[in-house]
Each structure stands twice: as structure tokens, then as C-alpha cells.
Amino acid sequence: MPFNSLHYFIFLPIVYLVFYLAGDRARWGVLLAASFGFYCALKVPYLPVVLTLVTLTTYCFGIWLHKAQGTRAKLAVLWGGIASNVLVLVLMKYLPFFSENLGGLCRLLSLQVEVPTVRAFVAIGVSYFVFQAISYLIDIYFEVEEPEPHLGYFALYLSFFPKLLQGPIERAGDLLPQLKTPYRFDYDNMRYGMLLFAWGLFKKVVLADRLGIYADAVYNDVHAATGLQLLLGTYAYAFQIFMDFSGYTDMALGTARLFNINLTQNFNSPYLATSVADFWRRWHISFSRWILDYIFKPLQMQWRDWRTWGTAAALVVAFLVSGIWHGASWGFVIWGGLHGLYMACSVFYKPYQKKIYQSLGIQKSRYLKYWQMLVTFHLVCFAWVFFRVNSLGDALYICRFPFERAGRGLHNVLVHGFDTEDARLVLIAGALVALCGTLARNERVLSAWNRHGALRWLSYNALLLALIFLGTKSQASFIYFNF
């Protein structure tokens, strides 16, 4: 039941109505039933079973961990809880990858070993609630949080339907208290939630899906594209995945606001970042914080005797984990490894950065920030190539021939994969986003928008008309449903 489907547009008002009419004691049950119903609507029978299994095991390990006496006993329980969750993730998501690569290794070494082929499972949302479960156990171990004694609230914390399939990855201390707060109707929350949902829907069906037409046409047949088309296809994908994922996040945050729940902001203009580290402070924020707190920092402490080399190694490992988390593919591993390499290089480069800028006389240049943004954006786009390609052979081709046969007409390049209507509508929609982004940063415009109801209703209607007339006809799935 994707957020951009008619089923969800029917489902959400019904859930809200039942939630509103129910008393405070029953509202958690309404949301929990809605969350499991939402997951069951994917029509993959074992997914609700997996969610139930992770919920029950994590709940029990959390209670057990809190009662355990002594550091050694607590550590054993913690690792038992983490292992049980990781095992679920491996069984659901990575067995086919391990089987395929083990078979390839056996053939390479001429070993007479028959490795059975393993069928791939559909594991929508599993990565998100497993990571959330692991963070819950670690926070209990370090006494950051107390275990939740109410199984129903804990189950709702893991499965709350707006963030179930694509996050944000919520911490127990942030979400659980909100789930327990008595509900009171708030007009501003209702208005803001609906507006945020509509804005996310606009980013998905108007921008991401149309950019996807171009990116898919290029990446599904890279050998037929010119070098310039490969470059433009990569740029199109960079903005497609941003609009797709941030659009989903806006819709999730908007949905949660209807219930007076504030989920974590997951994006903050990531393509305006001035370094790769800054990019990760702006992109998929809840996930990058998870990687920072639960993988990078422990490794950095473990390897602190290595000093700078230890920090660099911890960054590489942390981002390799982030790549593997996204999927069982060497493309994802390389994508994570590239970001780890970028970050590791920055650790060695940073002490010399200021001296280099001073020697070049550009440390006070107003253009320095734009140059940093440009370089960062292209480093990120290069890594996106490995994230998007259908095979490593395609990725290597794109890296080797980005400017091959670039002399074809620019018109043919721009409309490759687009019809003229699509090209025109993407330009119009992109102009609208740029205009809205500029106006949203203007304090006078925001003040006038908040004061004058007529201006607000004009913007509401403009957004509605854009959805009706600029949206794509097809119902494309969200990219991050795959992770």
C-alpha cells in the first residue's frame, strides 16, 4: 500500500477517524492494528510474521538485558539480541547474495562443491525495523533508555506505519513518549501534516517519477547512450532518488503529524553540502546518525591507538556496512566503500585544507563555498552510478566512456527517454520547486503566508492543480522500498 496509491488515500482517513473516536486507552491499539494491516496489505505472508518475531525477541531481550547482573552477562545478552536480529536480516535479504558468490568462488578455485541456489525473499521494511530494534537494545545496555514494559507500545514503536517501510529510523526515547501522550486535536498539526503530505506527493509523482523516465532509459541500456546522455542520466537519477526518498519522508512526517507525532527530519538540502561529511549530515539523517552512533564511534574508540588511521579505518568500515545495508549487491558495497574512502581521505586532508586555501589566496573568496558544493555534488553523483547500475559491467562502461560520442545534437540528448510533454513538464515542475524553495527561505514571504489565509489557500490550490495536471499517470514504486 504505497503512499501514492488510491488504497492509501482511503486507508488513512479511515484509520484517523477510528483513532479520533477511540479513547486514549485504545488509541495505541488502533495504530498497532493499522500498522500490521498496512504491512499485511503488501500481500507477502511471511513479512508480518517476521515483524512479529523481531518484536517479540527484541522485547524479551530488552527485559532480560535490564535484569542481567554484571558486565559479562549484560554483554552476552546484548550480543544475543543483536545476533537474533541480524540473523533475521541475513535470512530475509542476503542468503541469495552469499549463495551466488560462494558458488562463484568455488568455480574459480575449481572446487567440486555444489552450492544450492537460494530464492530471494521480498524484505520490504525489514532493514528499518531491525536497525531500530538493535539501537533499542544498545541504548538499554548503555542505560540510555529503560526497557518498555508494555508489549503493545513496544510493538507500535517498531511498526508505526508511516515510518515502517522507509523510515525514519526512530530512537525509543524520541518516539515512545509521543505514542503514550494523550491525543488532543490540533488544527495546526492537521493543516501542516496535510500540506507536508501533499508536498511529498508532488515531489514523488511530478518530479521523481518523470526524472525516472529519463534515468531508466539511459541506465537500462547504457551502451546505446552517448557520453553526454550518460552524464545527464546520472544527474537525473541523483535528483530522482532525492525527490523520491525525501518525498516519501515528507509524506511519512505529514501522516504522523495527523496523530500529533513528530518523526525525525530526514533531509536538509543535501545537494547544497560543502563536503561529503556535510552531505551525510543532511542526507538520510536518521540512518547516518545510526551508523555514526552504533558503528563508527565504537570502532573509533576500539582503534583509538591508531589515531588518524584508526578514525579513517572506522569510517571505511562504517560506510561499507551502510552499503551492505542497502542491498545484497556489489554495486551497493562499492557505493558504500566510495563514501567511506571520501570520508577517510578528508580525515587526512583536513589539517592541510586551511593552509592550501591560504596559499592559493581563496580562503575568503565568496566563490569557495560554491566550488566546494560543486565538487561534493559530483563526488556523490559518481558514487550514485554504482548505486543505480544493473551490473558492474555497466558501471565500468559509464566510468570509462562518459564523454564518448558526445557530439550528437543536444536536443536528442535532452529528449532521450522523454517525450516532449515529459521534458516540458519536468522543466515546469523543476522551476516550481526552485521558486518554492526560494520563497520558503524568505522571511517576509513566510510571515505574509502565515498571516493571510487567502495566500495560504492560493498556495494549497496551486499545489493541488500541480498534482492533477503535472503528475504522472503510472504509479511507480518508491526506490527505497527495495532496502
Side-chain angles (χ1 to χ4, degrees):
M1 196 190 304
F3 286 173
N4 58 332
S5 68
L6 178 61
H7 296 95
Y8 189 76
F9 299 154
I10 298 171
F11 168 82
L12 182 57
I14 293 174
V15 171
Y16 178 78
L17 181 62
V18 176
F19 173 86
Y20 181 79
L21 294 176
D24 283 333
R25 290 185 178 181
R27 283 182 172 133
W28 69 267
V30 173
L31 290 180
L32 182 59
S35 298
F36 270 82
F38 177 81
Y39 210 32
C40 289
L42 298 173
K43 298 180 180 179
V44 183
Y46 48 79
L47 285 183
V49 175
V50 171
L51 177 56
T52 302
L53 178 63
V54 169
T55 300
L56 291 175
T57 54
T58 305
Y59 174 80
C60 293
F61 270 104
I63 301 294
W64 188 9
L65 183 60
H66 182 66
K67 293 180 178 179
Q69 299 295 321
T71 303
R72 184 171 296 180
K74 283 181 174 290
L75 197 59
V77 176
L78 173 65
W79 281 111
I82 292 174
S84 67
N85 282 296
V86 171
L87 180 62
V88 169
L89 192 57
V90 169
L91 292 175
M92 291 295 296
K93 197 168 182 178
Y94 298 103
L95 277 187
F97 178 72
F98 293 147
S99 172
E100 179 184 349
N101 284 277
L102 182 58
L105 180 62
C106 290
R107 289 190 294 272
L108 182 66
L109 298 176
S110 301
L111 299 176
Q112 301 299 318
V113 178
E114 186 67 26
V115 179
T117 302
V118 181
R119 183 176 63 89
F121 290 99
V122 178
I124 300 174
V126 174
S127 297
Y128 290 94
F129 60 74
V130 164
F131 265 36
Q132 197 166 285
I134 291 173
S135 69
Y136 171 79
L137 292 175
I138 294 175
D139 286 347
I140 292 175
Y141 174 79
F142 285 109
E143 299 182 352
V144 175
E145 300 292 339
E146 294 283 328
E148 172 54 48
H150 193 291
L151 179 58
Y153 277 116
F154 177 73
L156 180 57
Y157 156 67
L158 283 188
S159 64
F160 184 47
F161 71 89
K163 56 88 185 166
L164 178 59
L165 300 184
Q166 289 187 214
I169 301 172
E170 295 291 339
R171 307 288 176 90
D174 295 329
L175 184 54
L176 272 170
Q178 296 187 73
L179 297 175
K180 297 179 179 181
T181 302
Y183 176 80
R184 297 293 178 267
F185 178 80
D186 187 318
Y187 172 76
D188 288 333
N189 267 347
M190 178 67 67
R191 182 188 61 148
Y192 181 76
M194 294 176 68
L195 181 62
L196 192 57
F197 185 91
W199 179 243
L201 185 62
F202 172 84
K203 289 160 75 174
K204 167 61 178 171
V205 302
V206 177
L207 295 177
D209 289 352
R210 290 192 181 279
L211 287 166
I213 296 172
Y214 187 89
D216 289 346
V218 171
Y219 271 84
N220 289 340
D221 191 3
V222 297
H223 296 277
T226 66
L228 191 53
Q229 286 169 344
L230 293 173
L231 289 173
L232 291 175
T234 301
Y235 296 147
Y237 181 71
F239 285 100
Q240 178 200 0
I241 194 170
F242 169 61
M243 292 298 175
D244 190 283
F245 195 12
S246 67
Y248 178 96
T249 299
D250 288 345
M251 295 163 82
L253 268 61
T255 297
R257 274 296 185 96
L258 303 182
F259 305 99
N260 290 350
I261 293 172
N262 294 311
L263 297 179
T264 303
Q265 293 287 342
N266 231 9
F267 293 91
N268 180 24
S269 304
Y271 291 148
L272 298 182
T274 55
S275 67
V276 175
D278 187 30
F279 172 81
W280 279 103
R281 287 190 288 268
R282 296 165 174 261
W283 176 275
H284 205 346
I285 296 170
S286 63
F287 174 71
S288 58
R289 285 176 180 169
W290 196 100
I291 292 292
L292 174 70
D293 291 343
Y294 300 113
I295 296 181
F296 169 69
K297 286 183 178 179
L299 288 176
Q300 185 186 36
M301 287 297 296
Q302 188 73 21
W303 298 336
R304 60 184 179 275
D305 292 342
W306 299 357
R307 299 185 179 181
T308 303
W309 285 99
T311 300
L315 285 167
V316 171
V317 172
F319 278 94
L320 282 173
V321 171
S322 84
I324 295 169
W325 176 86
H326 279 84
S329 162
W330 285 109
F332 293 132
V333 174
I334 294 172
W335 170 81
L338 281 171
H339 277 277
L341 186 62
Y342 295 157
M343 297 282 280
C345 289
S346 71
V347 171
F348 295 102
Y349 167 69
K350 193 171 184 179
Y352 304 100
Q353 184 182 50
K354 190 174 181 179
K355 294 179 181 179
I356 292 172
Y357 289 162
Q358 286 177 343
S359 64
L360 294 174
I362 60 174
Q363 72 274 18
K364 295 183 179 180
S365 172
R366 62 177 181 174
Y367 299 110
L368 177 60
K369 179 180 178 181
Y370 300 110
W371 169 251
Q372 291 172 327
M373 288 165 53
L374 184 67
V375 171
T376 301
F377 174 71
H378 282 87
L379 288 174
V380 171
C381 284
F382 177 71
W384 282 138
V385 170
F386 294 90
F387 195 93
R388 171 59 184 85
V389 288
N390 298 323
S391 69
L392 287 183
D394 287 354
L396 294 175
Y397 179 84
I398 293 172
C399 294
R400 289 171 59 195
F401 302 110
F403 303 104
E404 187 187 59
R405 303 192 312 277
R408 295 185 185 179
L410 183 60
H411 173 75
N412 291 333
V413 169
L414 290 175
V415 300
H416 179 82
F418 281 100
D419 57 28
T420 55
E421 180 185 7
D422 278 320
R424 186 164 58 249
L425 290 179
V426 166
L427 290 175
I428 293 171
L432 285 173
V433 170
L435 177 62
C436 290
T438 302
L439 294 177
R441 289 178 172 83
N442 188 295
E443 293 184 3
R444 291 182 180 179
V445 172
L446 284 175
S447 178
W449 191 85
N450 288 322
R451 286 199 314 269
H452 301 295
L455 184 59
R456 288 200 302 272
W457 281 103
L458 179 64
S459 63
Y460 298 158
N461 284 286
L463 182 56
L464 180 61
L465 290 173
L467 287 169
I468 293 172
F469 292 107
L470 299 180
T472 55
K473 301 295 187 293
S474 61
Q475 183 186 308
S477 64
F478 288 90
I479 293 174
Y480 262 69
F481 274 5
N482 298 319
F483 312 134

